[in-house]
Amino acid sequence: MKPTTVGVIGAGRIGRMHVQNLVHSVPEAFVKVVASRSIDASWADELGVPLAVRDFEVILGDPEIEAVAIALSSDLHVEAICRAARAGKHIFCEKPVAFSPGPIREALAAVQEAGVQLQVGFNRRFDPSLLKLQQAVRDGAVGELQGLRIINRDPQAPDIEFVQRSGGLFFDFTIHDFDTVRFLSGMEISEVHAIGTTLVDPEIGAAGDIDTAVIAIRLANGALGSIDNSRESGYGYDQRFEAFGAQGNLAVDNVRPTTLSSSLESGVFVDGPASPFVERYREAFIAELRAFVRSVRSGEPVAATGEDALAAIQAAQAATLSRRENRPVELAEIDQQVSVGVSS
Amino acid sequence: MKPTTVGVIGAGRIGRMHVQNLVHSVPEAFVKVVASRSIDASWADELGVPLAVRDFEVILGDPEIEAVAIALSSDLHVEAICRAARAGKHIFCEKPVAFSPGPIREALAAVQEAGVQLQVGFNRRFDPSLLKLQQAVRDGAVGELQGLRIINRDPQAPDIEFVQRSGGLFFDFTIHDFDTVRFLSGMEISEVHAIGTTLVDPEIGAAGDIDTAVIAIRLANGALGSIDNSRESGYGYDQRFEAFGAQGNLAVDNVRPTTLSSSLESGVFVDGPASPFVERYREAFIAELRAFVRSVRSGEPVAATGEDALAAIQAAQAATLSRRENRPVELAEIDQQVSVGVSS
Amino acid sequence: MKPTTVGVIGAGRIGRMHVQNLVHSVPEAFVKVVASRSIDASWADELGVPLAVRDFEVILGDPEIEAVAIALSSDLHVEAICRAARAGKHIFCEKPVAFSPGPIREALAAVQEAGVQLQVGFNRRFDPSLLKLQQAVRDGAVGELQGLRIINRDPQAPDIEFVQRSGGLFFDFTIHDFDTVRFLSGMEISEVHAIGTTLVDPEIGAAGDIDTAVIAIRLANGALGSIDNSRESGYGYDQRFEAFGAQGNLAVDNVRPTTLSSSLESGVFVDGPASPFVERYREAFIAELRAFVRSVRSGEPVAATGEDALAAIQAAQAATLSRRENRPVELAEIDQQVSVGVSS
Amino acid sequence: MKPTTVGVIGAGRIGRMHVQNLVHSVPEAFVKVVASRSIDASWADELGVPLAVRDFEVILGDPEIEAVAIALSSDLHVEAICRAARAGKHIFCEKPVAFSPGPIREALAAVQEAGVQLQVGFNRRFDPSLLKLQQAVRDGAVGELQGLRIINRDPQAPDIEFVQRSGGLFFDFTIHDFDTVRFLSGMEISEVHAIGTTLVDPEIGAAGDIDTAVIAIRLANGALGSIDNSRESGYGYDQRFEAFGAQGNLAVDNVRPTTLSSSLESGVFVDGPASPFVERYREAFIAELRAFVRSVRSGEPVAATGEDALAAIQAAQAATLSRRENRPVELAEIDQQVSVGVSS
């Protein structure tokens, strides 16, 4: 069966990873063109990608290309989505789609009008451990959900230039946690109270951002939750998730690169968490592209929609407002939420 | 060397446990009298306690008795402390000492005037795992403290009569967590934001209390924290503690009764958490009495003071106000805190 | 109810531990006399033991004393058992009872003739984890037993004087493993093949002993097993046990003093195994004395019999012969085994 | 850079896995031809393999093909190696190369004469956990090696036809363990004593084979070891490895598919071992092909040589003899070992 022809827009760190994953691990896809301002043609060539261009119009204008993967800087996502949709391409787009609901809605409208698929890069939804946790919650393994807990800490703070362009901790980093709360619970967030501070790097504070946060959450069914964030753990990429219910607790622990333990006089040592995120979620990054290509080919709904992106951004907005005013903020206050349900 | 003669006031579940621990596991103590309205004299006799009485004045009037352990219902603690202090007895008292700062201050004044020792029953301060965690924080094992996390869930909700007399979740249950935050961090809590609800038992809600809570915390140094409470886990007594710092994370996991794991076709099974609290903290309950008797004999400061009790109650008050008004509450708002430092 | 009056014979490291455990943790027992050549009377006095003597005839001649605990050096055990039995005392005796079957049979005969109880100090039979493992095997949790694995390593090699008096690795150390194989499986060992060497301390080799061994085992039902021994692990007292059956595997892991884990840049650190043996088996050492006193009072059979001691010694003999001749040795070759069944 | 052109000989379960791994995960290789008696041409086509043939002479005769991967039934390996070597192809060959040293030597001679590379399919040598364990041993992390322990149990017994063709447990299954002992220790096995029986399936016994074994081992430096095998665990593919030394113990535990743990009233449940072997060693199967192609391109020595295959077969022979005669067998008795050193 003929593979789906794909173009990749953006060839930074994430864009290049997507190209490699599509080439090596998604047999149903063929990457025909990579577009990037700073593309290295020989890199594409070695991967067997026939064409490397600077202008992604080449991709949009190619009638053979059915789908695009967008991994530009976040402020360019909406325009790229709109243009790709108008060109009739199915779209995979990295998160965050945008930093506010308005542009996301604009992108969603373009996608809807064009009748194309849009999948957002919430990679955690494709992690085997998180999928199993979500399935167990949905199957009622712990009864009615009463609580959710997420610990999400990056190994090392990003450089200050990245922080300045990132949209802030809640939009760039916690966004994954807001989506994970919705994904694992199958419910909307109804209220957030976010406290945050700068404990890692004073430059981050000087840039108007925070690097450490605790966010208390209420879900639609009354369950409570917390998210614990840090830009720098010092010991690796800490990714832990718990769902607590009337009949038990489900916990996803960190993945470790090896299962070696060393018993020495000073104690027993095991590996720290798999790091950085491209290692921890290696399988998930592949699985999300496979799922996208499968949806493109089958017409089946994607597992991480534009509406999911919208809901996560609204939670980030609520958290931002909550922290600024040091008060709980209901999501209803942010925006008239499109009640689309949580995709899964 | 002559043992320290002790009287125990109150012989409910906890009081009887203290008598047994003093008799079997604190060789430096001799329990001469147990006082309780409902005392079973043969029970005392079998333990080798010479005298069982109904009125604790017998204890206070006995010049041989140097120290008392008080395990009455909480509303009787302050009066008992004051009378014991005036009788010149050193005092071990169960938590909570009282439900508001005023009476605690009254008790502290009586203790100070009498020049006796007062140790409060914050048993977790004597748990080997928590002691090691606290020591590591103090030794700077993870650098400057940035966060604290506590999960505290009881195996099963208490009956509604207990709930009605308990003073409420924050005063009866979270009180341990507030003290643990102070103990592990060596710092005062500066702000709390508590959200809570009734997910376990609607009767608890009808009684004006909650059974599920998430409390976000700020510490004096700017570190953030969270406490996660439930009156009923369904899987045992969940007791987990984490301290996160600039250079790492320290975590105390649940204790399990055995180390047996069973690998079967359906998966690998291990024991749930040691439950209930008298099992989980068995060693700690013994160690706190040993330490108390040691302090009585040596004159050295106790490791869980009346001031610690006061600080924990103030945090519980702040949490109560916070939840009622759904807003963050600074501890300074509650009371002019006596800045005595955290004992350790 | 009146406690059972006990005399303790021998006050070395183990004897003193038994006295402390009886005094502090076995309420049904009263230690009236301790006999030891090198007894410190003030030590006994502080524990509330009324009498400390040099000659254990004082104990045997005291009509109030119903039971004795013997913790002499191993070569004196049989004589002490025989004399205690003739004096009509119930007997708890440390392992090994003797270094060959003949003297053990002599002791068993004396015990039988006197109609007293004899319990042998196979402490592991009272460990909560091992008890749970044994119960699971017996309940058929993993179906028909197919294999057993034991890792038993001491933290540090004993001094050479101890080694010289110990009877050798198989009699002093592996003896526990031979008993544990029988206890966990509920079956007799039918064949052993032992290989051993000196890797820890050449002095141990010079003394004619070994410090490292692997022993392959066949059980009566055809199941296979292995025992892995070292006199010195370098990382604590390694105590691991597995039972493998047609439907799964049961494993008892090391006990750790605390549940603290430290996640640092260099990895994740947890406690090494609880060490030394008095720490690891603290509960078991208490439980075996409680069980002994209970058997004395109730007349119910003890859980570690003289026949168990005999069977373990025969396995040690077989292992010794096997290693010397580097060939498998059937237990039937050693001795006409008294088929008494494994007590449990 | 031009990829290395490869032909794959044999397209059974393992052969097809190698083709997929080469196509998807070894960018430096291009699979031009697959040869198999029962090849499905459309399967090859979908993977992008241009040619599927029945006779592997097509591969040997194609001058563009530099290297072959052989995954025939074991009795055809030696002939295929010899013919491929004579055709000047570098060779990756599945284990076992043959069931006795003679044919392996023949193959090695052909390889040496042709001056081509030969890598044997000891996949475990490429597992991240085992590599880290081996590196730690070599780096002296636990001092001088004193012991090795391997548990190797298949999830389910193979069908009886497979058993009949397999060469027996020691040649088909334990062969990996013999190689792993050498790989982890960096030393030759000097003596084995194998005991084995039929506990899983009486048909295996009727076919003259065993399904359960314990093998005690001596290494060249005097260290001791044990291997524990079963054809059927009932709970997954049990793969555990330990190296014990003068200063500690290194242990590789099972890999689990997810890190989910479920705390319920009945206990805490986690995933069983990753199974079957293609899942457990997924990364290793890819890494061994990558390493092979790298060696082909660079001329650097392979990490699993024909000499390693020879040594493992000799250990299997020694174990067979040992079990048959129920006595320890020195490797020197089997064959004049070519002392080539253990590759790593």
Side-chain angles (χ1 to χ4, degrees):
Chain A
M1 200 168 155
K2 207 177 136 295
T4 300
T5 304
V6 178
V8 176
I9 300 174
R13 183 184 185 190
I14 303 297
R16 287 198 303 271
M17 179 191 71
H18 287 321
V19 173
Q20 286 173 314
N21 284 341
L22 284 164
V23 168
H24 292 144
S25 307
V26 187
E28 301 82 1
F30 166 62
V31 182
K32 184 176 177 188
V33 190
V34 178
S36 162
R37 299 242 175 108
S38 57
I39 190 72
D40 178 347
S42 71
W43 174 85
D45 186 52
E46 281 191 16
L47 279 167
V49 176
L51 194 59
V53 298
R54 292 176 59 86
D55 184 350
F56 70 75
E57 271 307 318
V58 177
I59 288 173
L60 301 188
D62 185 334
E64 272 185 19
I65 291 177
E66 297 168 65
V68 297
I70 301 173
L72 296 164
S73 77
S74 299
D75 51 333
L76 304 176
H77 281 166
V78 167
E79 194 202 332
I81 290 173
C82 292
R83 286 168 60 187
R86 278 178 223 125
K89 310 303 186 197
H90 299 291
I91 301 159
F92 174 90
C93 184
E94 263 308 313
K95 49 65 30 187
V97 171
F99 297 127
S100 60
I104 299 182
R105 289 228 170 79
E106 186 189 330
L108 296 192
V111 162
Q112 196 170 6
E113 200 183 321
V116 295
Q117 301 264 26
L118 169 64
Q119 182 177 320
V120 176
F122 285 136
N123 53 292
R124 283 186 195 161
R125 287 178 176 239
F126 300 87
D127 175 67
S129 292
L130 283 169
L131 274 168
K132 195 168 179 185
L133 172 50
Q134 185 234 21
Q135 193 62 48
V137 169
R138 200 196 295 183
D139 293 350
V142 292
E144 174 78 9
L145 193 71
Q146 299 184 350
L148 272 182
R149 303 171 59 80
I150 296 178
I151 297 176
N152 176 19
R153 294 177 186 143
D154 242 345
Q156 269 195 295
D159 57 38
I160 196 68
E161 288 73 31
F162 176 89
V163 169
Q164 284 161 342
R165 283 177 293 109
S166 72
L169 185 79
F170 295 146
F171 287 89
D172 167 64
F173 191 70
T174 323
I175 194 87
H176 280 293
D177 304 323
F178 292 130
D179 183 62
T180 303
V181 166
R182 295 178 70 251
F183 172 64
L184 295 180
S185 68
M187 282 185 288
E188 297 296 341
I189 298 168
S190 62
E191 188 186 273
V192 301
H193 180 241
I195 58 178
T197 183
T198 310
L199 299 173
V200 174
D201 181 356
E203 273 202 79
I204 292 176
D209 200 2
I210 55 174
D211 52 35
T212 305
V214 167
I215 303 155
I217 282 177
R218 278 186 207 270
L219 294 180
N221 78 334
L224 308 180
S226 68
I227 297 169
D228 189 315
N229 285 159
S230 173
R231 281 285 194 190
E232 181 161 313
S233 77
Y235 56 85
Y237 188 39
D238 197 347
Q239 297 288 293
R240 289 179 284 160
F241 308 89
E242 299 196 14
F244 171 62
Q247 286 150 38
N249 193 55
L250 302 163
V252 163
D253 202 353
N254 283 309
V255 171
R256 306 190 185 285
T258 78
T259 65
L260 180 66
S261 69
S262 306
S263 295
L264 303 176
E265 197 182 354
S266 47
V268 179
F269 309 146
V270 299
D271 280 0
S275 298
F277 69 96
V278 290
E279 286 300 315
R280 168 61 184 85
Y281 289 113
R282 180 193 294 277
E283 285 183 75
F285 280 119
I286 290 170
E288 68 177 359
L289 291 176
R290 280 193 186 144
F292 170 63
V293 171
R294 207 162 46 233
S295 288
V296 165
R297 293 168 79 94
S298 69
E300 280 170 20
V302 298
T305 65
E307 284 76 13
D308 293 324
L310 184 59
I313 282 296
Q314 288 172 335
Q317 283 191 304
T320 304
L321 181 60
S322 167
R323 187 181 81 81
R324 196 182 307 136
E325 303 188 353
N326 197 22
R327 65 173 178 91
V329 171
E330 292 191 32
L331 266 286
E333 185 181 331
I334 290 305
D335 199 59
Q336 290 165 290
Q337 262 191 290
V338 185
S339 183
V340 291
V342 183
S343 56
S344 60
Chain B
M1 199 169 157
K2 206 177 135 298
T4 300
T5 304
V6 178
V8 176
I9 299 174
R13 182 183 185 189
I14 303 297
R16 288 199 303 272
M17 179 190 70
H18 286 322
V19 173
Q20 286 174 314
N21 284 340
L22 284 164
V23 167
H24 293 145
S25 307
V26 188
E28 300 84 0
F30 166 62
V31 182
K32 185 177 176 187
V33 190
V34 177
S36 163
R37 301 242 175 108
S38 57
I39 190 72
D40 178 348
S42 71
W43 174 84
D45 187 51
E46 281 190 15
L47 280 166
V49 176
L51 194 58
V53 297
R54 291 176 59 86
D55 184 351
F56 70 75
E57 270 307 317
V58 177
I59 289 173
L60 301 188
D62 185 333
E64 272 185 19
I65 291 177
E66 298 168 66
V68 297
I70 301 172
L72 296 164
S73 76
S74 300
D75 52 334
L76 303 176
H77 282 166
V78 167
E79 195 202 332
I81 290 173
C82 291
R83 287 167 60 186
R86 278 178 222 123
K89 311 303 187 198
H90 299 291
I91 301 159
F92 174 91
C93 184
E94 264 308 314
K95 49 72 21 194
V97 171
F99 298 129
S100 60
I104 300 183
R105 289 228 170 78
E106 187 189 328
L108 297 192
V111 162
Q112 195 169 7
E113 201 183 322
V116 296
Q117 300 264 26
L118 170 63
Q119 181 177 321
V120 175
F122 286 137
N123 54 291
R124 284 187 195 159
R125 287 177 175 240
F126 300 87
D127 175 68
S129 294
L130 283 168
L131 274 168
K132 196 167 180 185
L133 172 51
Q134 184 233 22
Q135 194 61 48
V137 168
R138 202 197 294 182
D139 293 350
V142 292
E144 175 79 6
L145 193 70
Q146 299 185 350
L148 271 182
R149 302 172 59 79
I150 295 179
I151 296 176
N152 177 19
R153 294 178 186 144
D154 243 345
Q156 270 195 294
D159 57 39
I160 197 68
E161 288 72 31
F162 177 89
V163 169
Q164 283 160 343
R165 283 177 295 109
S166 72
L169 185 79
F170 295 146
F171 288 88
D172 167 65
F173 191 71
T174 323
I175 194 87
H176 280 294
D177 304 322
F178 292 129
D179 183 62
T180 303
V181 166
R182 296 177 70 252
F183 172 64
L184 295 180
S185 68
M187 281 184 289
E188 297 296 342
I189 298 168
S190 62
E191 188 187 273
V192 300
H193 180 241
I195 57 178
T197 182
T198 311
L199 299 174
V200 173
D201 181 356
E203 274 201 79
I204 292 177
D209 200 0
I210 53 173
D211 52 35
T212 305
V214 167
I215 303 155
I217 282 177
R218 279 184 207 272
L219 295 179
N221 79 335
L224 308 181
S226 68
I227 296 170
D228 188 315
N229 285 161
S230 172
R231 281 286 194 190
E232 181 162 312
S233 76
Y235 56 86
Y237 188 38
D238 197 347
Q239 296 288 292
R240 289 179 284 159
F241 308 89
E242 299 197 15
F244 171 62
Q247 285 150 38
N249 193 55
L250 302 164
V252 163
D253 202 353
N254 283 308
V255 170
R256 305 190 186 284
T258 79
T259 65
L260 180 65
S261 68
S262 306
S263 295
L264 303 175
E265 197 181 354
S266 47
V268 179
F269 308 147
V270 300
D271 280 359
S275 298
F277 69 97
V278 290
E279 286 300 315
R280 168 60 184 87
Y281 289 113
R282 180 191 295 275
E283 283 183 76
F285 280 118
I286 291 169
E288 69 176 357
L289 291 176
R290 280 193 187 145
F292 170 63
V293 172
R294 208 162 46 233
S295 287
V296 165
R297 294 168 80 94
S298 69
E300 281 170 20
V302 298
T305 66
E307 284 77 13
D308 292 324
L310 184 59
I313 283 296
Q314 289 172 334
Q317 284 191 303
T320 304
L321 181 61
S322 168
R323 187 180 82 81
R324 195 181 308 136
E325 304 187 352
N326 196 21
R327 66 173 178 90
V329 170
E330 292 191 33
L331 267 286
E333 186 180 333
I334 290 305
D335 198 60
Q336 290 165 293
Q337 264 192 288
V338 186
S339 183
V340 291
V342 183
S343 57
S344 59
Chain C
M1 198 168 157
K2 206 175 135 298
T4 301
T5 303
V6 177
V8 176
I9 299 174
R13 183 184 185 190
I14 302 297
R16 288 198 305 272
M17 179 191 71
H18 286 321
V19 173
Q20 286 174 313
N21 285 339
L22 285 164
V23 168
H24 293 145
S25 307
V26 188
E28 301 82 2
F30 166 63
V31 182
K32 185 177 177 186
V33 190
V34 177
S36 162
R37 300 242 175 107
S38 57
I39 191 71
D40 178 348
S42 71
W43 173 85
D45 187 51
E46 281 191 15
L47 279 168
V49 175
L51 194 59
V53 298
R54 292 177 58 87
D55 185 349
F56 69 76
E57 271 308 318
V58 177
I59 288 173
L60 301 188
D62 185 333
E64 272 185 18
I65 291 176
E66 298 168 67
V68 298
I70 301 172
L72 295 164
S73 77
S74 300
D75 52 334
L76 304 175
H77 282 166
V78 167
E79 194 202 333
I81 290 172
C82 291
R83 285 168 59 187
R86 277 177 223 123
K89 311 301 186 198
H90 299 292
I91 301 159
F92 174 90
C93 183
E94 263 308 314
K95 47 70 23 191
V97 171
F99 297 129
S100 59
I104 299 182
R105 289 228 169 78
E106 186 188 331
L108 295 192
V111 162
Q112 195 170 6
E113 200 183 321
V116 296
Q117 300 263 27
L118 169 63
Q119 182 177 319
V120 176
F122 286 136
N123 55 291
R124 284 186 194 161
R125 288 177 175 240
F126 300 88
D127 176 68
S129 293
L130 283 169
L131 275 168
K132 196 168 179 183
L133 172 51
Q134 184 233 20
Q135 193 62 48
V137 169
R138 200 196 295 183
D139 293 350
V142 293
E144 175 77 9
L145 193 71
Q146 299 185 349
L148 272 182
R149 303 171 59 80
I150 296 178
I151 297 176
N152 177 18
R153 295 177 186 143
D154 242 345
Q156 269 194 295
D159 57 40
I160 197 67
E161 287 74 30
F162 177 90
V163 169
Q164 284 161 342
R165 285 178 292 110
S166 72
L169 185 78
F170 295 146
F171 288 88
D172 167 65
F173 191 71
T174 322
I175 194 87
H176 280 294
D177 304 323
F178 292 129
D179 183 62
T180 303
V181 166
R182 296 178 69 253
F183 172 64
L184 294 181
S185 68
M187 282 185 288
E188 296 296 342
I189 298 168
S190 61
E191 188 187 273
V192 300
H193 180 241
I195 58 179
T197 183
T198 312
L199 300 173
V200 173
D201 181 356
E203 273 202 78
I204 292 176
D209 201 0
I210 54 174
D211 52 35
T212 305
V214 167
I215 302 155
I217 283 176
R218 279 186 207 270
L219 295 179
N221 78 335
L224 308 181
S226 68
I227 297 169
D228 189 316
N229 285 161
S230 173
R231 280 285 194 191
E232 180 162 313
S233 77
Y235 56 86
Y237 188 37
D238 197 347
Q239 296 289 292
R240 289 180 283 160
F241 307 89
E242 299 197 14
F244 170 63
Q247 285 150 38
N249 193 55
L250 302 163
V252 163
D253 202 354
N254 282 308
V255 170
R256 306 189 185 285
T258 78
T259 65
L260 181 66
S261 68
S262 306
S263 295
L264 303 175
E265 197 182 353
S266 47
V268 179
F269 308 147
V270 299
D271 279 0
S275 298
F277 69 98
V278 290
E279 287 299 316
R280 167 61 184 86
Y281 289 113
R282 180 192 294 275
E283 285 183 75
F285 279 119
I286 290 170
E288 70 175 357
L289 291 176
R290 280 192 185 145
F292 170 63
V293 172
R294 208 162 47 232
S295 287
V296 165
R297 294 167 79 93
S298 69
E300 281 170 20
V302 299
T305 66
E307 284 76 13
D308 292 324
L310 184 59
I313 282 297
Q314 289 172 333
Q317 284 191 304
T320 305
L321 181 60
S322 167
R323 187 180 83 80
R324 196 182 308 136
E325 303 187 353
N326 197 22
R327 65 174 178 91
V329 170
E330 292 191 32
L331 268 284
E333 185 180 334
I334 290 304
D335 199 59
Q336 289 165 294
Q337 261 192 292
V338 185
S339 183
V340 291
V342 182
S343 57
S344 59
Chain D
M1 200 170 156
K2 207 178 135 298
T4 300
T5 304
V6 177
V8 177
I9 298 174
R13 184 183 184 189
I14 303 297
R16 288 199 304 272
M17 180 190 71
H18 286 321
V19 173
Q20 285 174 314
N21 284 341
L22 285 164
V23 168
H24 293 144
S25 306
V26 188
E28 301 82 2
F30 165 63
V31 182
K32 185 177 176 187
V33 189
V34 177
S36 163
R37 300 242 175 109
S38 57
I39 190 71
D40 178 349
S42 71
W43 175 84
D45 187 51
E46 280 190 17
L47 280 166
V49 176
L51 195 59
V53 298
R54 291 177 59 86
D55 184 350
F56 69 76
E57 269 308 318
V58 177
I59 289 173
L60 301 188
D62 184 334
E64 272 185 16
I65 291 177
E66 297 169 65
V68 298
I70 301 172
L72 295 165
S73 77
S74 300
D75 51 334
L76 303 176
H77 282 166
V78 167
E79 194 203 331
I81 291 173
C82 291
R83 286 167 60 186
R86 278 177 223 125
K89 311 302 185 196
H90 299 292
I91 300 159
F92 174 91
C93 183
E94 264 308 314
K95 48 69 26 188
V97 171
F99 298 128
S100 60
I104 300 182
R105 289 227 170 79
E106 186 189 331
L108 296 191
V111 162
Q112 195 170 8
E113 202 183 321
V116 295
Q117 300 263 27
L118 169 63
Q119 182 177 320
V120 175
F122 285 136
N123 54 293
R124 284 186 194 161
R125 288 178 174 238
F126 299 88
D127 175 68
S129 292
L130 283 169
L131 275 168
K132 196 168 179 185
L133 172 51
Q134 184 234 22
Q135 193 62 48
V137 169
R138 200 195 296 182
D139 292 350
V142 292
E144 174 78 8
L145 193 70
Q146 298 185 350
L148 271 182
R149 303 172 59 81
I150 296 179
I151 296 176
N152 177 20
R153 294 177 187 144
D154 242 345
Q156 270 194 295
D159 56 40
I160 197 67
E161 288 72 32
F162 178 89
V163 168
Q164 284 161 343
R165 283 178 294 110
S166 73
L169 186 79
F170 295 146
F171 287 89
D172 167 64
F173 191 71
T174 323
I175 194 87
H176 279 293
D177 304 323
F178 292 130
D179 183 62
T180 303
V181 166
R182 296 177 70 252
F183 173 64
L184 294 180
S185 68
M187 281 185 290
E188 296 297 340
I189 298 168
S190 62
E191 188 186 273
V192 300
H193 180 240
I195 58 178
T197 184
T198 311
L199 299 174
V200 173
D201 182 355
E203 273 201 79
I204 292 176
D209 200 1
I210 54 173
D211 52 35
T212 306
V214 167
I215 303 154
I217 283 176
R218 280 186 206 270
L219 295 179
N221 78 334
L224 308 181
S226 67
I227 297 170
D228 189 316
N229 285 161
S230 173
R231 281 285 194 191
E232 181 162 314
S233 76
Y235 56 86
Y237 188 39
D238 197 347
Q239 297 289 294
R240 289 179 285 160
F241 307 90
E242 300 197 14
F244 171 63
Q247 286 150 39
N249 193 54
L250 302 164
V252 163
D253 202 353
N254 283 308
V255 171
R256 306 191 186 283
T258 77
T259 65
L260 181 66
S261 68
S262 306
S263 295
L264 303 176
E265 197 181 354
S266 47
V268 179
F269 309 147
V270 300
D271 281 359
S275 298
F277 69 96
V278 289
E279 286 300 315
R280 167 61 184 85
Y281 288 114
R282 181 193 294 276
E283 284 183 75
F285 280 118
I286 291 169
E288 70 176 359
L289 291 176
R290 280 193 186 143
F292 170 62
V293 171
R294 209 162 46 233
S295 287
V296 166
R297 293 167 80 94
S298 70
E300 280 169 20
V302 298
T305 66
E307 284 76 13
D308 293 323
L310 184 58
I313 283 296
Q314 289 172 334
Q317 284 192 305
T320 305
L321 181 60
S322 168
R323 187 179 81 81
R324 196 182 308 138
E325 303 187 353
N326 196 21
R327 65 173 178 90
V329 171
E330 292 190 33
L331 267 285
E333 186 180 331
I334 290 305
D335 199 60
Q336 289 165 291
Q337 262 192 293
V338 186
S339 183
V340 292
V342 183
S343 56
S344 61

